[in-house]
Amino acid sequence: MKVLIISNYFYPVNKIGALRINAFAKYFHLAGHSVTVLTEGEKDECVQWGGCQVHYVKDPVMTDAYLWRSISERKRWLPRRIAASLLRRVFLDEKRIWQVKAFKKARELFRQNVFDVVLSSFFPLAPHLIAMKLRNSGFRFYWIADMRDEMSKSPFISSNYAMRLKLHERKIVCRADLVTSVSKPILDDFRSLGCHDGFLEVRNGYDYEEVHDVNFQTCFTMAYTGSFYGSIKPDNWFKAFSELISEGMLPPDSVIKIVGNYSNLNVPQSILANVVLLKPVPHEEALRISIMETDVLVMVHPLGRKGVYSGKLFDYLATNKPILALCDTDDVIAELLKYTGAGFVACESDIGDIKRAIIKCYLLWKNKEVLPRNWDRISQNSRRSQTQILIDYLSAQNILM
């Protein structure tokens, strides 16, 4: 079976969205299928990656490396970023020019090969629009629209943008043969469009060997990997931490490590010496820090946005370090931690609740105890297992032969 994956994010991009697509390509290939990837790169080239043929198409407006250099240097109003912003306003997608180039390459690939399956990913919008245009051009294939998170219901876009985006959303969901996303609540929103019954939950996951050995730091250390953005902020975590230190409930040399954050943080004066800010690192190094240099792994997910696990939750899951999730205690994150026994949950807006959860983590460190996990249930959330859910579904539909 020949599979074409279309995504702006793929190796070597250091993002959760790229890791998801990497896994699809890797495990489809290991299952015996021919995989071609059409993605965005720093130059136009074709390379081999893990047994897959990867076609990189450069965005003439702004490459990913240029964007992240601009962000890290706090340079917002640069000509290329302004051009991308204008494209987003006009076409709902800053990758519009890339989309035109990538569609030409996709059409060329189809004329060289007959792909049985096309998997397109969101965000941005371009990959889905390329797949739809291939359909409109007469090419026949089974189309998987991988939404990952929300589309028009994303909390990070304006109401006007969401209204315009919903027109595309309905077309994509109704024309795709299968719609995938990371959780049932998000899939239910797509299913409400009432087009068909082809919906499948395929979560993000971890892609490393489960860690059963445990090391403890000399100072009690909590860590967060990734950037804070939008309404995702560490303010309540910082406040709870500072209060526990001032009350003598935590040792004064306790540490918080923030790995790879780009945004400005409001760190209370009383814990400035306790908060260590580390620059962005490759994913493998972030995992090493999580496993070797921390005692507790923290994730923050504000109330009001249902059905979002956050990719870092799965990155944390098999480290054998307790997870402290500041989130909605009635949503999917809490359900997963309860199911796997991998950590503690506290209401993100409740300082007292956060303090109680931190103390539970601290006592584990103090007593050199390991939180018992259900490893069989954890293994269900590896990227291999999650990709297998999709492979099994396609096989049952007689798509993958």
Side-chain angles (χ1 to χ4, degrees), residues 11 69 93 212 245 266-267 274 283 329 342 345 347-348 365:
Y11 177 86
R69 281 198 306 271
D93 195 345
H212 294 276
I245 289 180
N266 183 26
V267 182
N274 303 83
H283 185 250
T329 57
V345 174
C347 178
E348 188 271 340
W365 171 84

Side-chain angles (χ1 to χ4, degrees), residues 240 243 346-347 349-357:
E243 288 184 4
C347 178
S349 63
D350 188 331
I351 301 297
D353 203 20
I354 296 172
K355 290 168 69 173
R356 287 187 288 272

Side-chain angles (χ1 to χ4, degrees), residues 62-300:
M62 183 170 62
T63 64
D64 197 60
Y66 178 90
L67 172 61
W68 288 105
R69 281 198 306 271
S70 302
I71 293 173
S72 62
E73 296 170 4
R74 306 280 195 255
K75 294 180 180 179
R76 181 175 177 82
W77 300 115
L78 296 174
R80 290 179 182 272
R81 294 195 70 183
I82 293 171
S85 179
L86 289 173
L87 287 171
R88 182 179 174 86
R89 288 176 180 273
V90 175
F91 299 106
L92 304 183
D93 195 345
E94 63 269 27
K95 296 300 177 182
R96 174 70 174 188
I97 306 302
W98 179 88
Q99 177 191 324
V100 173
K101 282 187 65 178
F103 172 73
K104 291 180 179 177
K105 173 57 70 172
R107 187 174 55 191
E108 175 187 323
L109 292 173
F110 253 98
R111 287 171 176 168
Q112 296 170 358
N113 300 279
V114 177
F115 293 102
D116 305 287
V117 173
V118 172
L119 186 153
S120 58
S121 73
F122 181 78
F123 171 85
L125 187 60
H128 288 333
L129 297 184
I130 291 170
M132 187 180 296
K133 194 171 181 180
L134 287 169
R135 271 274 176 91
N136 293 340
S137 299
F139 296 108
R140 299 182 63 183
F141 51 88
Y142 187 92
W143 179 16
I144 304 169
D146 180 46
M147 297 300 197
R148 195 161 67 96
D149 293 332
E150 313 99 328
M151 186 177 278
S152 66
K153 290 193 174 183
S154 170
F156 305 116
I157 60 178
S158 68
S159 57
N160 178 62
Y161 185 89
M163 183 175 63
R164 295 171 61 202
L165 186 60
K166 194 163 188 175
L167 299 175
H168 288 295
E169 180 179 43
R170 178 174 287 277
K171 289 179 182 178
I172 292 164
V173 170
C174 291
R175 296 205 62 189
D177 299 292
L178 178 67
V179 176
T180 55
S181 187
V182 298
S183 74
K184 183 179 181 299
I186 294 176
L187 276 177
D188 285 344
D189 283 337
F190 292 124
R191 189 180 283 110
S192 68
L193 296 175
C195 304
H196 52 72
D197 295 324
F199 297 89
L200 185 68
E201 179 181 354
V202 182
R203 299 174 183 173
N204 289 318
Y206 63 89
D207 204 12
Y208 58 92
E209 292 295 324
E210 290 90 353
V211 179
H212 294 276
D213 295 331
V214 178
N215 64 315
F216 296 92
Q217 310 309 303
T218 55
C219 301
F220 177 60
T221 303
M222 295 187 286
Y224 178 97
T225 61
S227 190
F228 294 98
Y229 57 92
S231 58
I232 301 175
K233 300 181 184 299
D235 298 16
N236 290 336
W237 175 31
F238 287 166
K239 181 174 175 57
F241 179 74
S242 65
E243 288 184 4
L244 287 171
I245 289 180
S246 67
E247 294 164 1
M249 300 297 290
L250 288 181
D253 61 352
S254 298
V255 174
I256 285 178
K257 286 185 179 180
I258 309 292
V259 184
N261 175 67
Y262 283 104
S263 62
N264 294 321
L265 300 180
N266 183 26
V267 182
Q269 186 70 30
S270 61
I271 58 169
L272 275 176
N274 303 83
V275 178
V276 179
L277 305 178
L278 301 178
K279 293 181 179 179
V281 295
H283 185 250
E284 293 77 10
E285 175 63 8
L287 281 175
R288 189 198 67 78
I289 292 171
S290 299
I291 295 166
M292 301 302 298
E293 298 182 8
T294 67
D295 300 301
V296 181
L297 294 166
V298 178
M299 64 164 297
V300 180

Side-chain angles (χ1 to χ4, degrees), residues 323-363:
I323 298 169
L324 173 57
L326 313 182
C327 61
D328 183 340
T329 57
D330 292 320
D331 199 15
V332 292
I333 295 171
E335 292 172 3
L336 182 62
L337 289 184
K338 181 179 180 180
Y339 181 70
T340 58
F344 305 102
V345 174
C347 178
E348 188 271 340
S349 63
D350 188 331
I351 301 297
D353 203 20
I354 296 172
K355 290 168 69 173
R356 287 187 288 272
I358 291 175
I359 290 299
K360 290 178 182 178
C361 296
Y362 166 67
L363 291 176

